[in-house]
Amino acid sequence: MQARAALRQPQECRLRDGTPVVVRPIGPEDKERLQRGLRELSGRSRYHRFLASVKELSAEQLRYLTEIDCVDHMAWIALDPALPAEPGVGVGRYIRLAQEPHVAEAALTVAERYQGRGAGALLLDLLSRCAVVEGISTFRAHILQSNVAALRLVWHVGGTVTREDGNLLRLDVPVRPCPRLVGAAPP
Ligand SMILES: CC(C)(COP(=O)(O)OP(=O)(O)OC[C@H]1O[C@@H](n2cnc3c(N)ncnc32)[C@H](O)[C@@H]1OP(=O)(O)O)[C@@H](O)C(=O)NCCC(=O)NCCS
């Protein structure tokens, strides 16, 4: 129990270029932040995240994405302390699959200006630390084959890629912390 609580404490981390970020579990107070973050994301990133041209989240979707149990559904939000009024750096999330409880669907979203600076790897690392103690051994994601950034990230952590329909790929990533991908991971 204590280990679980310790894993969910806010973390002070750095991106690969040294930019400080604060990462904490997402909460009900983040609804507006999430909505704005989505609005400010490029059409391409939004399509890569949702595999559809989602521009707004409904009240029900915002509730689902922010009011989480941190056990079967975990999400970290990364914030830039230098820009407190901005929506933030990104969000990493996993949701356990009911039919395969050792597998969780995972999704990462990093705001345009922070992409390619290690935020995706950082969020994946923090998600992995939580998932391990919840008995989750695989993260699964469905992506377009044009999503080079996600493919590179998976390549780094040793995941497998399976072609599904047309341009759709299934990623299966073994759950393990990946601090070597992160500039300055928490201890
Ligand atoms: C996919 C995504 C989460 C990656 O996050 P990120 O913070 O940019 O990733 P990182 O900086 O940790 O980079 C991880 C690796 O991907 C590479 N990478 C990141 N962006 C890249 C790009 N646009 N093209 C090529 N490689 C890229 C990095 O160089 C790094 O590889 P390297 O170590 O060989 O240099 C981010 O691009 C994103 O939010 N995309 C839109 C939403 C999405 O596609 N989500 C994933 C599906 S749910």
Side-chain angles (χ1 to χ4, degrees):
M1 271 308 174
Q2 267 184 340
R4 187 185 265 171
L7 278 171
R8 294 180 192 151
Q9 293 304 307
Q11 313 270 340
E12 289 181 14
C13 308
R14 287 185 187 275
L15 302 184
R16 270 199 293 261
D17 59 9
T19 304
V21 292
V22 174
V23 196
R24 60 166 171 76
I26 209 164
E29 70 279 12
D30 292 315
K31 293 187 176 70
E32 182 52 32
R33 203 178 267 286
L34 215 57
Q35 189 73 283
R36 264 191 66 203
L38 178 68
R39 276 193 209 121
E40 292 176 16
L41 212 54
S42 71
R44 179 185 165 84
S45 285
R46 270 188 269 130
Y47 203 81
H48 276 162
R49 165 64 180 84
F50 293 101
L51 307 177
S53 61
V54 176
K55 289 186 180 155
E56 290 270 322
L57 295 166
S58 67
E60 179 54 29
Q61 286 171 317
L62 286 169
R63 190 200 60 72
Y64 179 69
L65 294 172
T66 59
E67 297 180 26
I68 61 173
D69 64 8
C70 294
V71 176
D72 296 328
H73 184 169
M74 179 67 202
W76 289 98
I77 186 164
L79 305 172
D80 184 342
L83 297 170
E86 295 299 312
V89 175
V91 174
R93 159 183 327 276
Y94 72 70
I95 302 171
R96 192 195 299 270
L97 300 185
Q99 285 80 15
E100 289 176 87
H102 65 287
V103 180
E105 188 83 27
L108 299 172
T109 313
V110 174
E112 240 61 40
R113 74 166 83 168
Y114 298 98
Q115 287 183 13
R117 295 163 63 184
L122 171 64
L123 289 164
L124 185 60
D125 179 49
L126 292 172
L127 286 175
S128 301
R129 290 166 193 252
C130 292
V132 163
V133 301
E134 304 302 342
I136 293 167
S137 55
T138 302
F139 285 147
R140 182 165 297 160
H142 292 87
I143 64 159
L144 295 177
Q145 70 175 22
S146 59
N147 195 342
V148 177
L151 280 169
R152 286 185 67 126
L153 196 49
V154 167
W155 181 78
H156 275 286
V157 292
T160 60
V161 180
T162 312
R163 182 174 294 280
E164 293 205 325
D165 270 353
N167 289 334
L168 201 62
L169 304 178
R170 186 179 103 180
L171 309 179
D172 284 295
V173 177
V175 169
R176 56 173 174 242
C178 43
R180 68 183 178 81
L181 288 179
V182 182

